[in-house]
Amino acid sequence: MNKWLFLLFVTSIAFAGEPSPDRKSTLRNLLKQDCGACHGLTLKGGMGPALLPEVLAGKSDELLISTILEGRQGTAMPPWRPFINHDEAAWLLGILRKP
Ligand code: HEC
């Protein structure tokens, strides 16, 4: 196997489930512009609730990831599944949980 292909192979295993650097910057933009439209530019809340680490602390990954992917029926929170996959939602949640 070509040396570069091999490196690519190894790094793709190491980072399985993590979005690529390109995709991460797309997701960061999405968070600021789309999520920020409702949750506030600094995520301190607006039309939607604050998404700060202390607010999310008592809630499970499972609940929050499914909220991001499926939205919440009967509220303004829309489903994001058409735009992001499970791993990407998990990665975004990781950002939200980071103080
Ligand atoms: C159109 C407005 C809107 C947009 C855009 C939006 N949200 Fe929401 N979001 C809401 C509302 C309203 C709720 C509260 C739903 C409820 O009452 O349970 C919510 C709830 C949530 C929750 C659950 C919070 C909790 O404490 O249970 C998470 C996590 C969340 N949103 C993440 C996101 C992310 C990530 C994005 C961008 C990909 C996003 N939201 C975009 C309106 C929005």
Side-chain angles (χ1 to χ4, degrees):
M1 196 188 305
N2 166 308
K3 183 171 82 179
W4 294 113
L5 264 183
F6 178 71
L7 261 182
L8 198 68
F9 178 68
V10 170
T11 45
S12 66
I13 289 179
F15 295 109
E18 266 235 341
S20 68
D22 254 18
R23 188 65 185 155
K24 281 184 188 174
S25 78
T26 307
L27 291 170
R28 278 185 203 279
N29 274 335
L30 179 87
L31 189 62
K32 210 192 258 164
Q33 307 197 342
D34 294 78
C35 317
C38 286
H39 292 281
L41 250 187
T42 51
L43 302 174
K44 290 189 180 140
M47 181 220 219
L51 298 178
L52 300 173
E54 57 270 27
V55 178
L56 302 178
K59 301 178 180 172
S60 72
D61 283 356
E62 210 180 331
L63 169 77
L64 297 173
I65 291 171
S66 80
T67 298
I68 296 171
L69 291 176
E70 315 299 343
R72 285 219 181 126
Q73 285 254 320
T75 78
M77 177 63 185
W80 293 90
R81 195 185 278 292
F83 309 103
I84 63 179
N85 64 30
H86 184 278
D87 289 345
E88 292 169 341
W91 184 80
L92 277 177
L93 181 60
I95 294 194
L96 296 175
R97 283 198 190 282
K98 229 177 260 164

